[in-house]
Amino acid sequence: MMSSDNMKKVVLVTGANSGIGLALCKRLLSVDDQIHLCLACRNMQRAETARAALLCSHPGADIALLKVDVGSLKSVLEAAKELKQRYRRLDYLYLNAGIMPNPRIDFNAFINGLFSRKAIHMFATGEGLLTQEDQVTEDGLQNVFATNVFGHFILLRELEPFLCQSEKESLVIWSSSSNARRSAFSLTDYQHTQGKESYSSSKYATDLLSVALNNHYNKQGLYSSVVCPGLVMTHLTYGILPPFFWTLILPIMLLVWLFKQKPESLDPLAKYYSCTSGLGSNYVKPVKMDLDEEAAEAFYQKLLDLETKYRCWQNVK
Ligand SMILES: NC(=O)C1=CN([C@@H]2O[C@H](COP(=O)(O)OP(=O)(O)OC[C@H]3O[C@@H](n4cnc5c(N)ncnc54)[C@H](OP(=O)(O)O)[C@@H]3O)[C@@H](O)[C@H]2O)C=CC1
Ligand SMILES: CC(C)CCC[C@@H](C)[C@H]1CC[C@H]2C3=C(CC[C@]12C)[C@@]1(C)CCC(=O)C[C@@H]1CC3
């Protein structure tokens, strides 16, 4: 018979020590403080600080730490092994850790975009505005791809037996982005070795991967979904512009948005209302992803090939 401790849901969040990951952990505990929450972080000091902050608001919560650098395959394999020893189940896997290294704003694109019909879209998604300088990891992979996509994919593959259990369903949730863009991604260069939009490409890759995962794993009780947090002030965005700059431009961004609103674009027969209600909160609306299932499957096969290659390499080492 299962003890009540074994019946508690196990939730793992990568990149849980700051920003969206930490806010998510706080929210999860406020919804259900009876979960086993595991903060998967690369820096244990920052993870400890996050744990202490969560315990302040939720004393008595069951919060464990797991060391993992999702950009390193060795670290991911070790972390997965450790997890399998600690828990008998995994209910929610939040694949949230992510990077946007050395971001630069393309000011020419910004000025051109500002006076175009795409201004609002540009402010909402950052489309075409940002470039990044990527690097190669110890495993010989592009860092943004390794961190935002492949490390998480390997983690998921390793945890497959826990996620695909006949008696229960499991959910994998990816932190994607409105910056995910089809034109930044290429199946022939899925690591984005050539371009300067590795972030956009990696987020499009997570969207594709999520679709493929559903096709392959739904029958085994594993469901994948992507969330798109919009624009959130975190270390990631403070890497693009310093905090004081954001304080200055946010009201301007709001004004631009207001002036760009077209009254005729409002539907007279629609009510525009907040989705928040006392009967359960729903702050989001679904947006159809700009992708097709063949591309998702083709990308999935490429990831499986890369996985095979790296597993052989790990065995040889
Ligand atoms: N902020 C925004 O506007 C948006 C963010 N997102 C996505 O949300 C996710 C969270 O980002 P956000 O909270 O904004 O940014 P933060 O930089 O605040 O958080 C990123 C988290 O990921 C961790 N991380 C980064 N690299 C690794 C790694 N190799 N191994 C383990 N952990 C790692 C960081 O750890 P450490 O502290 O050690 O660096 C940190 O905890 C990302 O995937 C991002 O792309 C999506 C849309 C918008
Ligand atoms: C005065 C100007 C220099 C103002 C430039 C504003 C831009 C820096 C921002 C406008 C939209 C923003 C945005 C992001 C980053 C910053 C902007 C491009 C993200 C790409 C950050 C990470 C994400 O995942 C999505 C964000 C979408 C919007």
Side-chain angles (χ1 to χ4, degrees):
M1 211 175 76
M2 280 233 244
S3 75
S4 68
D5 202 45
N6 283 342
M7 282 166 70
K8 279 189 184 175
K9 288 190 171 155
V10 178
V11 184
L12 183 91
V13 181
T14 68
N17 62 275
S18 74
I20 294 169
L22 180 57
L24 166 70
C25 290
K26 202 168 174 191
R27 178 94 175 107
L28 287 171
L29 289 174
S30 67
V31 173
D32 181 359
D33 62 3
Q34 292 304 304
I35 53 172
H36 287 295
L37 180 60
C38 184
L39 316 183
C41 309
R42 61 178 162 181
N43 180 314
M44 295 321 273
Q45 212 174 334
R46 282 182 233 157
E48 271 298 352
T49 312
R51 182 172 180 270
L54 290 170
L55 284 174
C56 265
S57 50
H58 297 89
D62 177 355
I63 307 171
L65 306 181
L66 177 76
K67 186 169 171 56
V68 59
D69 176 349
V70 286
S72 151
L73 296 176
K74 183 168 171 277
S75 171
V76 169
L77 295 179
E78 281 168 8
K81 193 171 163 199
E82 167 73 29
L83 260 179
K84 287 189 233 172
Q85 281 162 4
R86 276 196 216 169
Y87 304 107
R88 300 265 69 83
R89 58 186 285 168
L90 183 54
D91 297 274
Y92 294 95
L93 176 58
Y94 285 92
L95 301 175
N96 164 74
I99 50 165
M100 184 197 275
N102 315 307
R104 296 255 182 292
I105 298 175
D106 180 340
F107 282 97
N108 282 337
F110 174 71
I111 300 293
N112 290 337
L114 201 59
F115 299 103
S116 76
R117 277 188 301 155
K118 280 189 136 192
I120 297 229
H121 183 71
M122 177 182 82
F123 275 111
T125 64
E127 185 174 315
L129 271 187
L130 294 172
T131 59
Q132 298 90 37
E133 286 299 330
D134 205 354
Q135 281 179 336
V136 176
T137 66
E138 277 187 2
D139 298 312
L141 299 168
Q142 291 300 121
N143 195 20
V144 175
F145 166 78
T147 308
N148 297 3
V149 188
F150 196 58
H152 282 128
F153 174 69
I154 297 296
L155 181 65
L156 185 149
R157 293 275 293 160
E158 283 292 303
L159 300 176
E160 208 180 278
F162 280 27
L163 292 163
C164 303
Q165 290 177 341
S166 53
E167 67 277 12
K168 63 156 191 70
E169 279 153 2
S170 304
L171 198 54
V172 172
I173 303 107
W174 297 82
S175 289
S176 181
S177 168
S178 53
N179 196 245
R181 195 153 48 97
R182 191 179 196 144
S183 60
F185 177 86
S186 151
L187 262 180
T188 49
D189 182 24
Y190 58 84
Q191 290 198 41
H192 205 82
T193 55
Q194 304 299 323
K196 291 216 171 277
E197 291 183 280
S198 46
Y199 183 80
S200 196
S201 165
S202 74
K203 292 298 169 181
Y204 188 77
T206 61
D207 293 357
L208 283 176
L209 180 51
S210 178
V211 169
L213 287 172
N214 279 322
N215 288 339
H216 285 268
Y217 287 100
N218 280 178
K219 279 200 196 90
Q220 297 166 63
L222 170 63
Y223 293 83
S224 173
S225 64
V226 279
V227 292
C228 187
L231 175 60
V232 190
M233 294 304 125
T234 64
H235 291 311
L236 188 144
T237 32
Y238 292 150
I240 302 169
L241 289 169
F244 79 90
F245 210 94
W246 281 110
T247 316
L248 281 178
I249 67 164
L250 275 179
I252 302 170
M253 284 170 80
L254 199 69
L255 271 181
V256 171
W257 179 79
L258 273 179
F259 282 119
K260 276 276 179 180
Q261 281 296 300
K262 287 195 187 107
E264 63 273 24
S265 68
L266 300 176
D267 179 349
L269 291 178
K271 283 203 274 192
Y272 294 91
Y273 65 98
S274 154
C275 298
T276 315
S277 89
L279 300 172
S281 310
N282 183 0
Y283 303 97
V284 293
K285 60 173 186 174
V287 173
K288 205 152 185 345
M289 293 191 281
D290 177 24
L291 52 80
D292 52 79
E293 299 206 18
E294 290 95 88
E297 182 55 29
F299 178 52
Y300 184 70
Q301 292 306 327
K302 288 197 182 269
L303 288 183
L304 290 180
D305 291 346
L306 193 64
E307 179 189 349
T308 311
K309 187 175 141 196
Y310 272 90
R311 284 193 193 278
C312 293
W313 190 59
Q314 289 282 342
N315 288 339
V316 172
K317 266 210 300 181

